[in-house]
Structure formats: structure tokens, C-alpha cells
Amino acid sequence: MYTTSTAFLDALQDAGVSIIFANLGSDHPALVESLAEARATGRPVPRLITCPNEMVALSAAHGYAQVSGRAQAVVVHVECGTQALAGAVHNVAKARIPALIFAGASPFTQEGELKGSRNEFIQWIQDVHDQRGLVRGYMKYDNEIRTGRNVRQLVNRAFQLAYSDPKGPVYLMGAREVMEEAVEPTGPLAWTPPLPPAPLPETAVEAIAGRLLAARRPLVVTSYLGRRHEAVAELLRLCDRLAVGVLESVSNYMNFPLTHPMHQGIAWNEPVQNEALAEADYVLVLDSDIPWIPTVNRPNPQATIHHIDVDALKQQMPLWYIPAAGSFQADVATALAQVNGRLDTLPADERLVGERRAHYGARHQRLDGALEALERPTDGGGVTPEYLVSRVRRFVDDNTIVLNEGITNYPVVMKHLRSGRPGGVFTSGGGSLGWNGGAAIGAKLAFPDKTVVALTGDGSYMFSVPSSVHWMARRYETPFVQIVFNNGGWRAPKFSTLAVHPDGYASRADDIGVSFDPPSDYAGIAAASGGALGLTVHAAADLDSALEEAFACVRTSKRAAVLDVQVPHL
């Protein structure tokens, strides 16, 4: 029998969904039956990946879409499963990641009036007033499937919005009776994909090109331009031509090669004024949520600022503004191509460009030297985060994807990995911890031939639900290297407290509630849950051999590996 669930699966297949990351429940009998029928008859439907934890399921869909650009589906159980997604919902929304979430709903009949009517006690308990409201503030679209007769239209509408810039997650729900409804099969829908944002107005192109040519210290600030590989190439073209400096702020991707002489560093939460930002007389902000933190670091007040962003309004942020002379919602790759095209027709002052090149190149050399000086063990032979990343770097090639959830070591990873390849390194783009484990599985499913490396703090490791992650990695043959920066607790809350109360009681207290002493056996959790290779490293002298064993295990033996590396205690 062809049901709403069958039509739903067909619609996902037509939309290019490869995988359903599923945490099934009592609201999914029709979906389970349709999947079984498809397997028995050979009808193509997306692959089902069983996810024991909902956060891991959506994090896997997040990672898959992030590295491939293709949205996947997540299926969860009524409002309980929807709530269990919470942290991952935040991440996909803030990172502008397309994903379709489908949740069942409690049956709406209780006397057997329709197939799927209530027959289990839990279905009264799980019937809530506004299930969609749990996630509405994070979704680009939410709706309820009320009949199978238009389920294809609803799925297409959902994906139309998920893929429209700024991209994001969408949410559908359907009760058991509706998902069991018999319907007539229909053919796939040929809907036009959403149009990209409009190109820059010619007046904006003229203004930006003019400022880039005339400024003494032009500076680009970006955070997630690297999500579009074409944008990286256009930015390189611009900076090579005019010697424009590039500052990354809270970088989520590889936006600009760290080894390039125009790279002026990466800014995060450091309580200092950035030199390049302070001296710039023209700032071009490209795809950035937090170009600077005004309480400690702000641009030159005399600087002209232009802002180009796929999400110029920052629709998910109630408070956001920068003093821009012009702000434009546009695809940054397209906009930079327009600016570069205009610059092709305009003469540049080569003396000015040469002076910029020398100035920015000299600062780049100083920054590079400072990074190199940090890449050594402690005096006692221990492992610093900087040394750890520098040793991991030797194993990262063009066929490697690195996922960075280092939290207080976010900038350490980005700086010392020294990636120069678009699509080589990612962060979650959000603020809810635990993304890295599920994302590693999703990235590996998207690109089975690539080596996936997850760098994580000990706190974010535990948030990632490693028991579920490593069970999935073994079952679905998605091995990855996971390296835990074990500093013994949550360093971020400690830093936040000291930033506000540098001389307060907490600054003198031995315990402020952020320590993980005694620590868990992080490597042992992965070994017990998924048969992963588990290694613990205390000394720098043991690090290289442990890394060699871990990468060989993943690349040759096809088994996940977890390194618990002891770094200086918080």
C-alpha cells in the first residue's frame, strides 16, 4: 500500500537526500513499514542510519551538509526527540546549515477511528500543545503534514527554504494516522531552486573598488567566507593584486591561507586591541557574524566600513550592528568577482600597493615567528596545545578533513594547523558543545575516502555523547581520529569569570565548579562503546608514536582512534 510515509520517502529521495539519521519511536510504524517495503522490493530510498542519540543524529547531518553542501534528513520521536535535539538545533541554525528534521506526533484519535490510533499509554503523555513551537525560533520553516496528498509539496517547500540564503534547518511533523494514510502515487515535482542573492549594485562595486585603491591600510575581516570555495579564490585574487590585509575573526572555515603574507592573524576572545584593525583606514567585512568585540577591540573610528554578507541582517540575532557606511546582502564569491572585474579596468598606484605589501608582509612574518615559538613542549616535557596541533599537522594532507571543537583552543587549532585549502577545516559555527563526534560521522559518510580528524576539548568530548558516536562509527564503518585536549575541566567558564572579576573571590578560589577531577577514561569510553583504539598521552616524547598509531589505525585498519592527550591543567 502506498502511504503518506511512502510518499515522504520518495520526496526525500527526489530532493537528493542520501541518508536519514533516525532515532525511531512509537510514532513511526508507517515509516518503518515503508522503509522495510522499499528494501524488500528494491525501490530506492535514502539510507537509514540508526542514531542512539538525537544530538548525534543532527550533528551528523550537520557535518554531512557542511562538507558536501547537500542537506540530509533527521527523524526523531515526537516532542521528546525534538527537545533532545536542542543543542544541535542551535548549531545548524547559527551556522546556516540546511537540514530537514521530521518528528512524529502523538495520534489524534483514541477509539480506533483511523489506522494508527492510540494504543500505548505514552501517546497521551507525549501529546503537547505546540510541538513545533519547541524549535520554531530556530527554523527557516516549520509545518505539519495533515494529509499525504500534498506531502511532496510540503517537502519541496521545506527544502526550497532550507537551501535559500541564508540557509538553515526546517521542521516537519506528522501524526501516526496521517503517516498511515493511503494515497495515490504521484511523480516527482520539478520545482525551480531558489535564486541566489542579487549581485552588488554597481554603485556599491564602484565605492568598494575605489576605497580599496585609495586606502593606505585596507583590511578585509571575515569569519565564514570559506564556506564558498570560489570566494577564497576571489579573495586571493584581490589581495595578491592590491596587497590588502586579511584578518580572520572567530573563523569557522579556512577563509584565507594562514601562510599567505597578507594574512594578519586570527582574533577570538583575546582582551587586546588588534593592531591591523586599529590602523585600518578602510575595512571590508565579508561574511562575518562577529568581526570584532567592541568592548576590547574595535576598528579605527576614522575608517570607512563596508559590509557584504549572505546574512547581512543577522536575522537570528536580536542585537547586532556595526558602523557600516554600506551593508549589502549578497553572495560574497559573486560580489568579490564583481569588484575584481571592476578593478581589472582601473589603474592601481603601484607605489602605494608596494608599501602595503611590505607593511603587511612584515607583520605577517612577526606573527608567523610568534606561532613557531609556541610550537614546543613544556619545559618539563609535557604537551602544550600548540605543540599538539603542530604534530597533528604532519598527518594532515589534501585528503583530510579537520573538525575543530577545541573551545578555548579554537584559535590554537586554526593558527597552528596552518591550513591553506578550502574545505580543509571546519568548526560547528554555533555555540552548543558536542558537535564534533556526530559531525565526524557525517563527514565520513559524505566522503568515505577522506581521513576525518576531530579535535575536541575534554568538555566537548563528553557533550558529544561518545558512547553513541563510537557505536555508530563501528556499525557504519566511519572511522575517524579523535584527539582530546584534556585540560581537566571547563576552561571557558573560568576565563569568562576572570574577564569580568579579575580580582574577585573566584580568582582566588581553588574550586569554582569547572574541574573534571578525577577525569573520566575518555579513550576507554570509545574503546568500550565502539572498539576504537584508545591511547592516553602524558609526555611530548610519546606523542608522535601515538599519532602514527592512531592515523594508521584509521587509514589502514579502518577503526576509529581516540587520543586522550594531557595538556596543562586549567
Side-chain angles (χ1 to χ4, degrees):
M1 185 169 65
Y2 196 88
T3 65
T4 302
S5 291
T6 314
F8 175 69
L9 292 173
D10 285 349
L12 294 181
Q13 180 75 13
D14 294 341
V17 172
S18 302
I19 293 175
I20 298 170
F21 296 97
N23 189 290
L24 298 169
S26 59
D27 44 330
H28 297 133
L31 195 60
V32 172
E33 179 65 16
S34 291
L35 285 164
E37 187 258 350
R39 284 193 292 266
T41 61
R43 193 179 78 254
V45 292
R47 180 186 182 189
L48 184 79
I49 298 290
T50 300
C51 303
N53 179 272
E54 293 89 345
M55 168 90 176
V56 177
L58 186 50
S59 295
H62 182 159
Y64 193 113
Q66 209 168 15
V67 302
S68 71
R70 302 190 303 274
Q72 302 303 301
V74 175
V75 169
V76 295
H77 177 46
V78 295
E79 104 289 4
C80 296
T82 300
Q83 292 187 93
L85 289 169
V89 165
H90 161 95
N91 287 339
V92 289
K94 298 303 179 182
R96 304 168 186 85
I97 300 299
L100 184 143
I101 301 164
F102 172 78
S106 281
F108 51 79
T109 61
Q110 68 176 41
E111 302 285 354
E113 298 93 334
L114 294 169
K115 189 172 185 178
S117 188
R118 295 184 184 187
N119 62 352
E120 300 177 37
F121 80 91
I122 201 71
Q123 289 152 356
W124 279 265
I125 297 171
Q126 291 171 340
D127 189 10
V128 298
H129 291 295
D130 186 10
Q131 182 173 312
R132 288 155 57 193
L134 295 170
V135 293
R136 186 171 295 123
Y138 296 86
M139 295 295 130
K140 291 204 66 180
Y141 172 80
D142 68 272
N143 208 340
E144 180 176 358
I145 300 172
R146 295 180 175 88
T147 174
R149 289 172 174 79
N150 71 342
V151 69
R152 281 181 177 270
Q153 288 90 334
L154 293 188
V155 170
N156 274 269
R157 177 61 175 157
F159 277 114
Q160 189 179 46
L161 285 159
Y163 278 121
S164 64
D165 283 318
K167 297 178 175 64
V170 293
Y171 182 86
L172 293 174
M173 60 177 277
R176 288 209 319 185
E177 296 94 331
V178 173
M179 301 310 291
E180 293 279 2
E181 179 189 4
V183 297
E184 290 295 322
T186 60
L189 300 176
W191 286 18
T192 303
L195 294 174
L200 286 181
E202 284 304 315
T203 53
V205 174
E206 288 291 334
I208 292 168
R211 292 299 305 173
L212 287 167
L213 287 169
R216 184 165 180 265
R217 292 286 179 263
L219 183 71
V220 166
V221 179
T222 186
S223 302
Y224 59 91
L225 170 148
R227 69 187 181 87
R228 293 272 281 122
H229 298 182
E230 301 89 338
V232 179
E234 291 291 345
L235 183 57
L236 277 164
R237 182 182 166 201
L238 173 67
C239 295
D240 285 338
R241 180 208 300 266
L242 293 183
V244 176
V246 176
L247 174 66
E248 294 186 78
S249 178
V250 193
S251 49
N252 302 137
Y253 296 83
M254 198 303 292
N255 299 302
F256 192 78
L258 198 90
T259 55
H260 194 284
M262 292 301 101
H263 197 288
Q264 300 299 291
I266 301 176
W268 289 74
N269 287 338
E270 300 89 346
V272 295
Q273 174 66 56
N274 182 270
E275 291 180 5
L277 191 62
E279 72 181 11
D281 53 352
Y282 178 61
V283 180
L284 180 57
V285 178
L286 302 174
D287 275 356
S288 180
D289 286 336
I290 308 101
W292 48 79
I293 299 175
T295 53
V296 294
N297 179 36
R298 59 177 65 228
N300 176 353
Q302 306 305 315
T304 299
I305 299 171
H306 283 129
H307 174 219
I308 306 171
D309 205 307
V310 73
D311 184 15
L313 285 173
K314 307 299 176 189
Q315 298 171 39
Q316 291 278 359
M317 298 183 185
L319 177 63
W320 192 94
Y321 58 89
I322 59 174
S327 185
F328 310 97
Q329 181 139 330
D331 173 71
V332 170
T334 303
L336 284 174
Q338 289 179 266
V339 172
N340 278 322
R342 182 66 181 115
L343 290 169
D344 287 339
T345 68
L346 298 172
D349 182 340
E350 294 304 327
R351 183 200 59 78
L352 178 59
V353 170
E355 194 275 334
R356 291 177 188 168
R357 201 177 306 278
H359 176 81
Y360 282 135
R363 177 181 288 123
H364 175 82
Q365 283 189 323
R366 293 196 300 273
L367 292 171
D368 197 52
L371 291 179
E372 286 186 11
L374 292 170
E375 294 179 354
R376 59 177 182 264
T378 65
D379 291 339
V383 180
T384 66
E386 294 82 1
Y387 179 73
L388 172 55
V389 178
S390 74
R391 305 314 289 172
V392 171
R393 188 173 69 223
R394 299 179 309 126
F395 296 88
V396 175
D397 57 23
D398 288 346
N399 204 40
T400 303
I401 295 171
V402 178
L403 307 178
N404 175 9
E405 199 171 20
I407 314 307
T408 53
N409 285 309
Y410 272 138
V412 170
V413 173
M414 288 303 200
K415 291 175 181 178
H416 293 272
L417 198 62
R418 304 193 186 199
S419 178
R421 179 171 52 86
V425 59
F426 302 84
T427 75
S428 75
S432 185
L433 307 190
W435 157 85
N436 76 95
I441 291 171
K444 187 68 175 178
L445 286 166
F447 292 111
D449 295 333
K450 290 187 180 290
T451 301
V452 177
V453 183
L455 304 178
T456 175
D458 46 355
S460 50
Y461 177 80
M462 289 199 282
F463 275 124
S464 74
V465 198
S467 56
S468 289
V469 164
H470 285 283
W471 176 85
M472 290 171 63
R474 175 165 59 177
R475 173 162 179 174
Y476 296 108
E477 299 179 345
T478 55
F480 63 99
V481 177
Q482 191 170 34
I483 299 172
V484 181
F485 291 69
N486 186 348
N487 59 21
W490 288 320
R491 197 165 58 155
K494 179 179 179 179
F495 281 6
S496 296
T497 302
L498 293 177
V500 179
H501 302 283
D503 301 313
Y505 287 98
S507 70
R508 299 185 294 274
D510 292 330
D511 184 2
I512 59 171
V514 297
S515 170
F516 292 163
D517 294 325
S520 294
D521 181 1
Y522 303 128
I525 293 170
S529 302
L533 170 68
L535 301 171
T536 301
V537 177
H538 295 276
D542 301 324
L543 180 59
D544 283 355
S545 60
L547 287 168
E548 288 171 5
E549 188 176 356
F551 277 88
C553 180
V554 169
R555 287 171 170 166
T556 304
S557 302
K558 309 301 181 185
R559 185 161 63 106
V562 173
L563 266 65
D564 177 356
V565 183
Q566 312 292 302
V567 296
H569 198 278
L570 64 86

